[in-house]
Amino acid sequence: MTTIDTRARQAVKAMATLTYKPGKPIKDVQRRYKLSSVIKLASNENALGPSPKAVAALRKTTGQLHRYPDAACAELKAKLAKRLKVNASQIAVGNGSDELLVLALRAFVEPGDEVVVAEPTFLIYALQARASGAKVMRVPLNNLRYDLPLMRAVVSKHTKLVFIANPDNPTGSYVTKRELEEFLRGLPEQVVVVVDEAYYEFVDAKDYPQTVSYVNRAPVIVTRSFSKAYGLAGLRIGYCIARPSLIAALEAVREPFNVNRLAQDAAVAALDDRAFLERTRRMIRQGRAYLGLELAQLGLRVVPSVANFLLVELGPKASQAAQALLRRGVIVREMSAWKLDGFVRVTIGTMPENRRFIQALKEVVG
Amino acid sequence: MTTIDTRARQAVKAMATLTYKPGKPIKDVQRRYKLSSVIKLASNENALGPSPKAVAALRKTTGQLHRYPDAACAELKAKLAKRLKVNASQIAVGNGSDELLVLALRAFVEPGDEVVVAEPTFLIYALQARASGAKVMRVPLNNLRYDLPLMRAVVSKHTKLVFIANPDNPTGSYVTKRELEEFLRGLPEQVVVVVDEAYYEFVDAKDYPQTVSYVNRAPVIVTRSFSKAYGLAGLRIGYCIARPSLIAALEAVREPFNVNRLAQDAAVAALDDRAFLERTRRMIRQGRAYLGLELAQLGLRVVPSVANFLLVELGPKASQAAQALLRRGVIVREMSAWKLDGFVRVTIGTMPENRRFIQALKEVVG
C-alpha cells in the first residue's frame, strides 16, 4: 500500500489503512487452486445472471457508444416515476446506488459534521463519510439487528446524515415499519436519513416499511439498485427517491454523465422483465428455506434473513473454513473486515450451487 | 428548477442557478423540427462511431453483467502501464475522466481552499470546485489561449488545485511545453496540477508537452479519456497518470465499483484498435483542413485548433444562426454558457457531415 501524498486532505490521509476488499473473482480462485469449476457466493450477485430483456436491449445499442449518455436519464426516470407513483423530479439516478450515497455526503455533510451509522453494516457508509471529513458515530447492532432507538439517541444537533440499510448487509436483518416510524418522529430539522434498500425486491416480511411512502413527509432518501434483483451489478446503476428539494441537492453535485448509456437502456428494459424478477424471487425464497434447514441440521447459527444472502456463524475457525471452501471451489465472504469474526456471508445461489455449498461445508466442518 | 433543500451545504445551496447543459440529442431535434436526417456536431463525439474492436469485446461479455466489475481495473491498468511505460501504481481509472476531476477535488481540496481555473474552459472544473466549497479563482484567457503566466501569478499559499485543459475545450488551443514547464517551476509545495488531456490523441503540434513524462518530477495528474479518440463516450471510462502517492489519495476517495464491466472490457480492446485510432486521426486532420478553408472563405474567424472541434465566430447573431442550423438538421454547440457570445463550437465530423454543415452554414450566414 503506497503512502498517501502529504498534499491530501487531513481526512483522506487518515484513511491510509482503510480499503474495501471485494469478493474474490472466480477466475482468480480457478487459477490459484487449479479448479475447473468454481461458484461465487460472495458478492450477493444474482445467480440467474442478468435480466435477459436487459441484455437484449443493450445488444441493440452498442453501435451508439460513441454518443454521450442522456445526462438526465429521462426515459428511466419517467418509467420509474410511473411505476413508483412519484414525480420524475423525486428521482435521481446514480452509477450504482453506491454513488448516490457519496452524492448525499457531498450534498449535505461539511467536514466535522456528524454522520450516524450502524456497526457493522455496509462498509461504504463509514468509509465515504470519513473521506468527507465527517465525524462518524458508530452504533453497535443489537443481536445483529439495527438498534434504531440507540441510533436515535446518538443523533445530535451536529448530525447531518444517518445511513440505514434496510435490509441490512451483511446481516440480512431488517428494520420494521414501527421502528422506522419511531426513529423518524421528531427528528432534528437538519438531519437527512438515507435508507438503503439495495435488497428491497427480496423482502416478503409484512412489517417491512414501504419507505417510499414517507418521502413527502420526512427528509428521507430511499436508494435502490439494479445490481441485485435485476442482475445488473456489472453495469452500475441505481436510483433514489426523495422530495424534490433533496433530489435538487444531489443533482447539484452530480457529474452530468454519471450513468453510462448501456446501463440506462438495460435498466429500462429490466423494469419490464417481470418474469425474470419473479424467477429470481422464487429462487431466493426456495434457496433461503433449503439453506436454513441444512445449516440448522449442521447445528450452525444463521441470522434470519429477508435478503439474498445468509450470515452464518462457523465459530473460531470460520476463516480457515472459508479457505477450505475456496479450495473446494466455493467462494463465500469472510467477515473479518466487518469485525464479525466467526461468521461468513453466503449469497443464495441456484439450487445446484446451494447444494454444492452445503456438501463442501459438510466436508469442512464435519 | 426546484429549490435546493435548506439542509444542503452552503456551497451546494449557492449552486442553484448553475447547471450543465449537454448538447442536444439527435432524437429531440428530429422530433422538434420533423427532420428525418440530423447530424450532431455538438459534443465532440467520434463521428466514426465506437472502436469496432471495443464493441466486439463487449458483445462477448454481456452474459456476465450480473457480476460486479473488477474494483481494481487490473487488466486495463496493466495494459496502460505497459503502453505508457509507467507503473500500474501510477494509474487510476474513472467513470469517465470527469469522475477523476471530482476525485481530485475530494482528495485534495478542503472547503475554503483555492482552486485556479481558466475562464472560459471546460465547465466541470469550476462547477465541481464550487460544489466542493472551494474558492474558485478564474483567470481569463488571453486571445482565447490559457494565460499560464497569469494563472501562475494567481497561485497563492491557499491554492490546492489548478486545472489545465490541454488541449483546451471549447477553444481547441493548447499550452506549449515551454509554457507548462515555466508554470510548474517552483510551484508552492501544497499545489496539485491536474492536466486534462481528453483530446490528447488528436494533437500533432511539435511543441505540445508530453506531460506524462513530468509525473515523477512534479505533482501533476494527467487525465485522459476513451470518450473521444476511441469513441466510447457512452460507456464512461477515463484514466489518469500521476506519482503513486497522488494516485493513492485518489484511490482513498474512489468508490470500489466506479468503472462498469463493459467499459473496462471495451477499453482494453480499444487500446489494440490502432487501425481505428488512425482512421479517426486521419478524419480529424482532413476535416480540420477542409473546415478551416471553407470557414475562412466565408470570412469567419476560426480559433486554431489541435483537437476534434473548432470554435467559430459567427458574430452577434450566432445564437440565431445555431437555431437556423438546427432547423436544417445540424446540431452545433452554442457558446453562451461559456460566455463566448458570438461563437459556436463545431465537432469535426465525417466529410459528408462536414460538407452538410458548410452547406447549411452558407444558407444561414449567406
Side-chain angles (χ1 to χ4, degrees), chain A residues 72-94:
Chain A
C73 295
E75 193 179 354
L76 178 60
K77 276 192 200 166
K79 191 151 196 165
L80 283 168
K82 203 173 162 191
R83 183 74 55 91
L84 300 166
K85 298 188 172 60
V86 299
N87 195 287
S89 66
Q90 294 181 272
I91 299 173
V93 186

Side-chain angles (χ1 to χ4, degrees), chain B residues 62-79:
Chain B
T62 47
Q64 289 301 308
L65 289 178
H66 59 307
R67 299 293 182 196
Y68 277 88
D70 175 13
C73 295
E75 192 179 353
L76 178 59
K77 275 191 201 167
K79 191 149 196 164

Side-chain angles (χ1 to χ4, degrees), chain B residues 107-183:
Chain B
F108 302 109
V109 178
E110 302 278 5
D113 285 344
E114 290 177 3
V115 172
V116 178
V117 301
E119 183 167 66
T121 187
F122 187 47
L123 296 177
I124 303 294
Y125 310 148
L127 268 171
Q128 288 288 347
R130 279 193 59 177
S132 299
K135 194 171 166 195
V136 183
M137 312 298 284
R138 298 161 195 271
V139 179
L141 298 183
N142 180 0
N143 196 23
L144 295 175
R145 292 185 67 241
Y146 265 58
D147 188 343
L148 282 195
L150 191 54
M151 287 177 78
R152 186 66 177 75
V154 166
V155 168
S156 78
K157 61 180 183 191
H158 305 294
T159 305
K160 288 306 295 291
L161 214 56
V162 181
F163 285 107
I164 299 176
N166 200 29
D168 181 31
N169 169 17
T171 65
S173 63
Y174 70 101
V175 155
T176 65
K177 184 170 187 280
R178 178 185 291 189
E179 287 169 328
L180 185 66
E181 287 181 353
E182 265 168 33
F183 179 85

Side-chain angles (χ1 to χ4, degrees), chain A residues 68 71 106 251-258, chain B residues 15 18-22 95-103 105 115 117-118 120-132 136 138 146 161 163 165 169-170 196 236 333 337-338:
Chain A
Y68 278 88
R106 295 186 63 216
E251 289 290 333
V253 296
R254 183 177 69 85
E255 300 145 52
F257 303 113
N258 62 325
Chain B
M15 296 181 70
L18 288 170
T19 41
Y20 181 86
K21 282 196 189 61
N95 184 40
S97 58
D98 284 12
E99 189 196 27
L100 297 165
L101 309 174
V102 175
L103 293 182
L105 286 159
V115 172
V117 301
T121 187
F122 187 47
L123 296 177
I124 303 294
Y125 310 148
L127 268 171
Q128 288 288 347
R130 279 193 59 177
S132 299
V136 183
R138 298 161 195 271
Y146 265 58
L161 214 56
F163 285 107
N169 169 17
D196 176 352
R236 315 309 300 129
R333 199 69 163 270
W338 285 261

Side-chain angles (χ1 to χ4, degrees), chain A residues 175-219:
Chain A
V175 154
T176 66
K177 184 171 189 279
R178 179 185 290 186
E179 286 169 330
L180 185 66
E181 286 182 354
E182 264 168 34
F183 180 86
L184 293 175
R185 195 171 300 137
L187 211 57
E189 185 67 33
Q190 81 286 351
V191 177
V192 174
V193 181
V194 175
V195 180
D196 176 351
E197 297 190 342
Y199 299 94
Y200 169 83
E201 291 83 356
F202 301 114
V203 185
D204 291 318
K206 285 211 177 89
D207 55 352
Y208 177 75
Q210 291 304 320
T211 311
V212 169
S213 68
Y214 303 146
V215 298
N216 287 320
R217 286 177 280 150

